[in-house]
Structures are given as C-alpha cells and as structure tokens.
Amino acid sequence: MEQDTMTVETFDDPFEALGVAKAEAANMTFRADVLLAIREQVRSWGLSQEKAAARLGVTRPRLSDLLRGQVDKFSLDALVNIATAAGLRLTIEVGGDRAA
C-alpha cells in the first residue's frame, strides 16, 4: 500500500503564503499593522463611532471599515493620515539582507 507524503512549507508572513510578491506583502503587512494600531487607539477612547470619526476627520462608514479590519479599502497614505489624526507616531524600521 502506497502512502501519500505531505510537504510542509513555512512562511515568514501570511501574504507570502498566499503567493503575494514580497514588495506587495510588505505593503500589506505594514498597512495591517497601522490599521490595528489605529483600531486599538480608537477603541481606547470609548467614543461613539460618530464622535471618533469626527475626531479622525473621516466619515462614520469609513471608520466602520477600519474597525472591521477592511485593510484592502485603505491606502498606506490614508492610514498614515488617520494614524496621525489619532495621535499615533509612526516609525519605519528598515533592515534585512541586501542580497535579497
């Protein structure tokens, strides 16, 4: 009786596992990280969505997309602007293998 063998692959990030190009995966990962930080900040305020949206300078439906984690609806620029309005300070850390 023949047994099937299974190959297990591991990936550094979930986007790579989905076959997304490295540059696009880096962008998606950074956007997701910023979105999560904004969401945490907004929730800490304990405000209604209407008031939180006004504080961020976005519409309530836009804030709702953010709070539901709809990262695909936000550009990196938009997230940086919203994060700044939320009082967050963003930093980018660059490093890695130059040969890659």
Side-chain angles (χ1 to χ4, degrees), residues 1-55:
M1 184 180 263
E2 225 176 276
Q3 287 187 338
D4 290 333
T5 59
M6 185 185 321
T7 303
V8 176
E9 291 185 67
T10 58
F11 298 92
D12 291 332
D13 69 58
F15 301 117
E16 183 182 350
L18 296 172
V20 176
K22 283 191 179 279
E24 185 179 353
N27 185 288
M28 292 171 78
T29 299
F30 191 70
R31 286 186 359 233
D33 290 346
V34 175
L35 183 140
L36 291 172
I38 296 167
R39 185 166 69 180
E40 186 176 311
Q41 179 79 340
V42 169
R43 288 182 175 163
S44 76
W45 295 338
L47 300 174
S48 69
Q49 281 194 14
E50 294 285 334
K51 289 182 181 179
R55 186 170 175 177

Side-chain angles (χ1 to χ4, degrees), residues 49-92:
Q49 281 194 14
E50 294 285 334
K51 289 182 181 179
R55 186 170 175 177
L56 296 174
V58 298
T59 64
R60 197 219 39 84
R62 189 85 165 134
L63 177 61
S64 181
D65 288 341
L66 190 143
L67 295 176
R68 287 184 285 126
Q70 302 286 317
V71 71
D72 58 313
K73 293 189 176 192
F74 294 89
S75 69
L76 184 53
D77 284 349
L79 289 168
V80 167
N81 292 339
I82 296 168
T84 301
L88 297 173
R89 186 175 65 88
L90 301 175
T91 60
I92 298 174

